[in-house]
């Protein structure tokens, strides 16, 4: 099971901060079925110290909507007395780009999303984060504890090496259930999102070579209906 | 069809037109095309035509949408990344399985229609040019990574998987596939051309990396060569025969590869030198000191300038070496120290180190784009690449010879090279319509190849022969060895259907 690429960047950034001595411990968290342990082992092989899996049964996987994930992560952040939560800016399956923002709101913490650079001042308990926004780069200063979501250009994650993969097998993965964090995924009232339809875009039709501008105008007007 | 001779017409035309070795012209000159005398062969030859009946048969095998005679697709499949003129096939087919390929080969062979296997079209010597027309078998839809055995460090992939796709698949396994030619090429193509890359000095080339292949032979049979054992003494090594055969002996559909552990520590460095000789001598001494350097690449100042412009780097405009060291943290530090001592004794400047993955990626991306950077020096140009490889002790001599000849002719010709293997490339950037310039380039290239062969080297370290380097094979191998190759080819492919006009096509004068 491959780690979401933005999450890989988040794990890498946390580990780099630990290597610089700015933070003490990196805890990798995943939420999902038992197989998510593989992803957590990769995080441990990259250098995370320990991991937590919030395990759900396959039937409940669909219930892990962004708001539910945010609520579960809030429970863990509080339990672990975290100073910083790093998330990938979005998952590449649903592309929601919501969880980090919701988590910050639930925790009532500052947030800096789409980070392309993070400079931590551990002593001052604050961070300077450069964000990639439509207009260019924006730098914000946030107080810790805070939520940061990571964008592509923040770093290039390291590869897990065989010795580290071996060591990771011995690092602890704690397994929790949603009810341990006060949530009942089976309760329909907890759901906010219903997938109504998923469909592929229409098949591309072949192009045609036309003989004249008049023919082109005719097609644009009568077939493509754009004139 | 022109009758029922025992030997196919193209070989008779070759005999009539003379061996290609006596002819030293570039693409565009009809004499080169006399390799199978294309206009004649297409019109009246013992090769069959790709007619509607064959197209319908091909469609019945792979499905209508996977057979095309669209002009643009044909042109694309007859073209590679070199100066060689595109020579399109008559049809392109997209199989989805080894079984499809087997049926396609049988259908074409029954009608004596040539077959050209196609990966990504990134070859550099006209490997995919359909010199005698025929059907291009595009393997790109065989794109599955079939098995990865992390516990034995090997894997098996379909031929259309690219090296980037494979490494992405492996990225959290602790293993990687090291052979890294500059392009986004397919593993099948890499096997067929015995490809190599910047890591070869430490990790070897496709020659060492391929454990076995699944391939369709001209007689329609499917063979699976090799085994997952790391070594074997059982029988002729068909894997080694097929690797590097450039589509003339078999269509490769699957490749088993040896994988390597991700290095624990990696550091890369750039070092400018006061002279070309200083840089190359540093490499020689590094190799002779048996320092297990992972990558050691040379760029002359012309190439550095091209790279700076193209990849927006800020390297000093001098002959430069790019290094990379792999190993434990201690080993990497030790190797780096040894090499920097050697470098400073040959006029090396200060080393600029990169350890963060993104810095190293940027550095090697710049190196990998060398060819495109060189082409960008002259818009609308094409590249003719020298690819000589010599024993390392003769490398400085060859590189200095190249520099001097380029200086005398004032050609645009950056030099870049896998100097750790004794291999370097002169990227002649040419106007393909300027015959005088092409002739000058040819003279310099011929001179370099002759020198390389004279000191015990080869005309092609890694780019392969295609048809562009056919003229050099006799002086490198000698008549007898070429005859042995032709005998093999004739035994495997008596109708000369698999990529005709390329290696293996030799008729005694």
């Amino acid at each position: 099971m491959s780690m979401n690429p933005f999450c890989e960047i988040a794990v890498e950034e946390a580990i780099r901060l630990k290597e610089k001595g700015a933070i003490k411990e990196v805890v990798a968290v995943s939420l999902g079925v038992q197989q998510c342990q593989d992803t957590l082992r990769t995080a441990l092989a990259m250098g995370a110290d320990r991991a937590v899996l919030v395990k759900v049964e396959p039937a409940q996987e669909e219930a892990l909507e962004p708001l539910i994930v945010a609520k579960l992560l809030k429970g863990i952040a509080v339990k672990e007395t975290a100073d910083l939560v790093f998330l990938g800016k979005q998952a590449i399956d649903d592309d929601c780009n919501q969880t980090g923002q919701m988590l910050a709101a639930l925790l009532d913490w500052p947030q800096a999303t789409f980070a392309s650079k993070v400079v931590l001042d551990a002593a001052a308990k604050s961070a300077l984060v450069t964000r990639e926004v439509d207009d260019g780069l924006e730098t914000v200063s946030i107080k810790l504890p805070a939520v940061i979501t990571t964008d592509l250009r923040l770093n290039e994650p390291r590869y897990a090496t065989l010795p580290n993969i071996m060591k990771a097998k011995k690092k602890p993965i704690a397994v929790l259930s949603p009810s341990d964090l006060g949530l009942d995924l089976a309760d329909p009232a907890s759901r906010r999102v219903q997938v109504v339809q998923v469909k592929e875009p229409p098949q591309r039709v072949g192009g045609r070579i036309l003989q004249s501008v008049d023919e082109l105008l005719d097609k644009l007007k009568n077939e493509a209906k754009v004139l | 069809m022109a009758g029922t001779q025992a030997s196919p017409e193209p070989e008779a035309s070759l005999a009539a037109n003379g061996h290609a070795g006596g002819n030293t012209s570039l693409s565009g000159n009809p004499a080169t095309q006399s390799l199978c005398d294309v206009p004649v062969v297409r019109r009246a030859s013992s090769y069959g035509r790709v007619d509607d009946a064959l197209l319908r048969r091909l469609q019945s095998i792979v499905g209508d949408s996977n057979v095309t005679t669209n002009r643009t697709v044909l042109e694309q499949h007859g073209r590679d990344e070199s100066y060689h003129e595109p020579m399109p096939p008559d049809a392109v087919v997209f199989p989805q399985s080894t079984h499809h390929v087997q049926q396609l080969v049988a259908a074409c062979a029954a009608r004596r229609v040539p077959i050209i296997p196609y990966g990504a079209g990134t070859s550099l010597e006209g490997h995919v040019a359909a010199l005698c027309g025929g059907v291009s078998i595009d393997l790109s839809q065989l794109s599955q990574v079939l098995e990865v055995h992390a516990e034995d460090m090997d894997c098996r992939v379909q031929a259309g998987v690219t090296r980037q796709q494979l490494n992405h698949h492996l990225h959290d396994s602790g293993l990687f596939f090291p052979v890294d030619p500059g392009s986004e090429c397919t593993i099948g193509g890499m096997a067929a051309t015995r490809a190599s890359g910047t890591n070869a000095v430490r990790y070897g080339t496709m020659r060492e990396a391929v454990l076995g292949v699944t391939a369709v032979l001209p007689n329609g049979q499917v063979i699976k060569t090799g085994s997952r054992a790391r070594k074997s003494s059982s029988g002729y090594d068909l894997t080694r025969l097929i690797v590097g055969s450039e589509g003339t002996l078999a269509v490769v559909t699957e490749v088993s590869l040896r994988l390597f552990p991700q290095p624990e520590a990696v550091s890369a460095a750039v070092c400018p030198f006061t002279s070309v000789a200083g840089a190359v001598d540093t490499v020689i001494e590094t190799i002779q000191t048996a320092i297990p350097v992972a990558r050691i690449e040379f760029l002359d100042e012309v190439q550095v300038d091209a790279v700076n412009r193209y990849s927006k780097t800020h390297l000093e405009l001098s002959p430069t070496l790019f290094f990379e060291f792999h190993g434990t943290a201690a080993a990497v530090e030790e190797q780096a120290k040894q090499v920097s001592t050697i470098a400073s004794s040959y006029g090396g400047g200060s080393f600029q180190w990169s350890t963060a993955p993104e810095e190293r990626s940027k550095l090697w991306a710049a190196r990998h784009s060398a060819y495109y950077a060189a082409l960008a020096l002259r818009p609308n140009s094409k590249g003719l690449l020298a690819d000589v490889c010599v024993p390392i002790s003769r490398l400085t001599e060859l590189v200095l010879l190249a520099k001097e000849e380029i200086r005398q002719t004032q050609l645009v010709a950056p030099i870049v090279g896998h100097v750790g293997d004794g291999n370097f490339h002169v990227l002649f950037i040419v106007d393909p319509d300027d015959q005088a310039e092409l002739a000058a380039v040819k003279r310099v290239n011929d001179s370099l190849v002759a020198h390389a062969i004279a000191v015990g080297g080869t005309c092609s370290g890694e780019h392969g022969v295609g048809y562009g380097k056919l003229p050099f094979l006799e002086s490198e191998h000698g008549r007898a060895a070429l005859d042995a190759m032709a005998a093999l080819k004739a035994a495997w492919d008596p109708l000369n259907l698999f990529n005709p006009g390329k290696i293996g096509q030799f008729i005694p004068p």
Side-chain angles (χ1 to χ4, degrees):
Chain A
M1 221 187 197
S2 232
M3 199 187 298
N4 182 43
F6 295 106
C7 298
E8 247 180 349
I9 294 171
V11 171
E12 174 68 23
E13 195 64 18
I15 292 169
R16 288 190 189 192
L17 286 172
K18 188 179 106 162
E19 285 171 344
K20 284 191 200 134
I23 57 178
K24 287 203 313 278
E25 191 190 31
V26 176
V27 181
V29 181
S30 192
L31 305 90
V33 297
Q34 177 73 12
Q35 222 199 334
C36 292
Q37 291 219 11
D38 296 346
T39 315
L40 288 171
R41 290 282 172 214
T42 302
L44 293 170
M46 284 169 71
D49 298 290
R50 55 188 172 85
V52 175
L53 171 64
V54 178
K55 187 171 143 192
V56 304
E57 294 310 311
Q60 309 248 281
E61 231 183 332
E62 238 185 51
L64 288 173
E65 308 163 354
L67 183 56
I68 304 254
V69 171
K71 287 179 178 175
L72 291 167
L73 287 176
K74 174 190 172 188
I76 296 188
V78 167
K79 201 164 166 300
E80 297 281 351
T81 62
D83 297 295
L84 252 185
V85 182
F86 274 104
L87 299 92
K89 72 171 182 182
Q90 64 198 57
I92 60 173
D93 50 17
D94 59 19
D95 277 334
C96 281
N97 183 3
Q98 297 168 0
T99 308
Q101 292 89 330
M102 288 172 170
L103 175 62
L106 291 169
L107 286 166
D108 196 26
W109 286 5
Q111 61 179 274
T113 54
F114 323 135
S116 65
K117 189 164 166 198
V118 174
V119 180
L120 198 62
D121 186 344
K125 294 209 88 180
S126 73
L128 211 58
V129 180
T130 306
R131 312 174 54 223
E132 296 198 1
V133 296
D134 289 340
D135 294 357
L137 297 174
E138 176 190 69
T139 306
V140 296
S141 171
I142 52 176
K143 290 216 226 344
L144 302 185
V147 171
I148 297 179
T149 76
T150 62
D151 209 330
L152 222 39
R153 276 157 284 276
L154 176 57
N155 62 48
E156 191 175 313
R158 69 197 62 195
Y159 293 108
T161 62
L162 291 178
N164 287 341
I165 290 174
M166 285 293 158
K167 284 187 214 149
K169 292 188 182 164
K170 305 206 181 78
K171 293 185 182 176
I173 299 183
V175 180
L176 300 175
S177 72
S179 56
D180 292 334
L181 296 162
L183 276 170
D184 177 11
L185 261 50
D187 179 6
S190 70
R191 303 289 301 270
R192 293 282 191 283
V193 177
Q194 183 197 5
V195 174
V196 171
Q197 185 191 43
V198 178
K199 70 173 193 217
E200 280 182 16
Q203 279 260 355
R204 274 189 72 171
V205 181
R208 272 172 295 172
I209 294 181
L210 304 176
Q211 302 308 317
S212 69
V213 174
D214 288 333
E215 198 184 345
L216 173 64
L217 288 173
D218 173 57
K219 301 253 180 259
L220 287 174
K221 197 161 157 202
N222 299 316
E223 280 188 35
K225 301 210 195 308
V226 294
L227 284 183
Chain B
M1 289 228 309
T4 53
Q5 297 125 286
S7 70
E9 188 109 315
E11 286 170 353
S13 342
L14 270 174
N17 291 303
H19 182 270
N23 166 5
T24 55
S25 52
L26 288 173
S27 154
N29 182 323
T32 307
Q33 293 168 6
S34 73
L35 283 164
C36 66
D37 207 30
V38 174
V40 172
V41 164
R42 282 176 191 256
R43 279 200 302 274
S45 95
S46 66
Y47 282 140
R49 281 183 53 248
V50 178
D51 57 15
D52 286 344
L54 176 57
L55 289 171
R56 278 197 299 274
R57 175 69 191 122
L58 299 176
Q59 284 175 326
S60 75
I61 297 168
V62 293
D64 288 8
S65 58
N66 288 317
V67 178
T68 183
T69 53
N70 175 291
R71 211 179 67 201
T72 307
V73 178
L74 297 186
E75 277 172 19
Q76 181 205 20
H77 283 73
R79 185 180 30 198
D80 66 9
E81 298 212 338
S82 70
Y83 72 98
H84 293 288
E85 200 181 301
M87 305 220 53
D90 299 303
V92 179
V93 295
F94 296 86
Q96 317 287 313
S97 65
T98 300
H99 186 54
H100 275 175
V101 175
Q102 182 179 32
Q103 293 177 285
L104 294 168
V105 166
C108 291
R111 293 161 181 81
R112 297 174 83 128
V113 166
I115 279 163
I116 306 98
Y118 181 98
T122 58
S123 58
L124 293 167
E125 287 294 349
H127 294 49
V128 296
L131 297 177
C132 305
V135 174
S136 170
I137 301 186
D138 183 318
L139 278 314
S140 60
Q141 293 188 20
L142 271 76
S143 58
Q144 301 286 321
V145 173
L146 297 168
E147 298 161 5
V148 176
H149 300 277
E151 66 283 5
D152 290 311
M153 300 200 210
D154 64 61
C155 70
R156 192 163 64 95
V157 303
Q158 291 188 312
V161 170
T162 64
R163 63 175 184 85
Q164 288 87 344
Q165 180 192 345
L166 176 56
N167 274 321
H168 182 74
H169 188 95
L170 294 170
H171 82 286
D172 50 13
S173 66
L175 302 171
F176 81 117
F177 176 65
V179 185
D180 64 335
S183 53
E184 181 150 3
C185 43
T186 63
I187 301 286
M190 289 168 67
T193 56
R194 209 180 299 131
S196 165
T198 57
N199 275 313
V201 62
R202 170 92 172 245
Y203 294 96
T205 72
M206 289 302 274
R207 180 180 59 184
E208 291 82 32
V210 177
L211 292 171
V213 298
T214 302
V216 180
L217 300 184
N219 64 10
Q221 292 195 309
V222 177
I223 59 171
K224 200 163 175 214
T225 68
S227 71
R228 291 183 57 227
R230 270 312 150 79
K231 57 185 199 185
S232 167
S233 300
S234 76
Y236 295 156
D237 193 345
L238 295 181
T239 308
R240 238 45 61 192
L241 178 59
I242 290 173
V243 171
S245 61
E246 302 188 10
T248 59
L249 294 178
V251 180
V252 172
T253 58
E254 291 174 4
V255 187
S256 289
L257 295 165
R258 197 179 150 192
L259 301 174
F260 290 78
Q262 286 283 358
E264 279 181 58
V266 182
S267 81
V270 175
C271 180
F273 283 79
T274 51
S275 69
V276 168
V280 185
D281 287 341
T282 298
V283 175
I284 296 174
E285 190 168 321
T286 300
I287 300 296
Q288 290 173 341
T289 314
I291 299 171
V293 58
R295 285 165 145 157
I296 185 164
E297 296 283 308
F298 170 74
L299 290 76
D300 76 349
E301 66 286 358
V302 182
Q303 183 67 66
V304 171
D305 180 45
V307 163
N308 278 345
R309 288 166 196 268
Y310 186 80
S311 300
K312 315 273 187 284
T313 45
H314 305 282
L315 303 163
E316 193 185 302
L317 290 182
S318 314
T320 300
L321 289 180
F322 282 21
F323 298 96
E324 191 165 271
F325 305 103
H326 293 180
T328 60
V332 164
E333 209 185 301
E334 184 186 50
Q335 290 170 31
K337 229 171 96 184
Q338 287 178 291
V339 170
S340 65
T341 306
I342 296 174
S344 60
S345 70
Y346 285 105
S350 56
F351 274 52
Q352 270 189 296
W353 292 97
S354 314
T355 40
E358 50 271 14
E359 287 168 15
R360 286 187 282 109
S361 288
K362 186 163 178 235
L363 190 69
W364 294 108
R367 162 64 188 88
H368 273 129
S369 316
Y371 182 42
Y372 308 114
L375 287 172
L377 287 175
R378 254 182 106 177
N380 291 325
S381 60
K382 301 264 186 245
L384 188 164
L385 277 56
D387 175 36
V388 294
C389 188
V390 297
I392 193 120
S393 59
R394 310 302 293 263
L395 184 62
T396 310
E397 183 185 327
L398 259 295
V399 177
L400 290 178
L401 173 70
K403 288 291 284 180
E404 179 53 25
E405 301 218 2
I406 292 165
R407 190 192 67 81
Q408 281 177 14
T409 48
Q410 304 192 320
L411 294 165
V412 177
I415 295 181
V416 68
H418 316 295
V419 282
D421 310 320
N423 180 210
F424 69 99
H425 306 307
V426 181
L427 313 181
F428 296 102
I429 304 306
V430 299
D431 173 356
D433 298 321
D434 183 342
Q435 296 303 320
E437 185 180 53
L438 288 173
V441 165
K442 269 230 87 281
R443 276 194 303 274
V444 175
N445 191 33
D446 287 355
S447 162
L448 282 179
V449 171
H451 267 91
I453 291 172
V455 304
T458 173
C459 67
S460 177
E462 56 181 15
H463 293 165
V465 177
Y467 67 92
K469 291 218 167 78
L470 281 174
F472 302 119
L473 293 188
E474 183 161 359
S475 60
E476 180 171 331
H477 296 292
R479 186 76 257 163
L482 289 189
D483 287 346
M485 292 191 212
L488 255 166
K489 165 71 170 173
W492 281 48
D493 186 15
L495 298 179
N496 193 17
L497 296 179
F498 275 32
N499 212 3
K502 314 275 172 57
I503 50 183
Q505 319 285 296
F506 297 101
I507 311 300

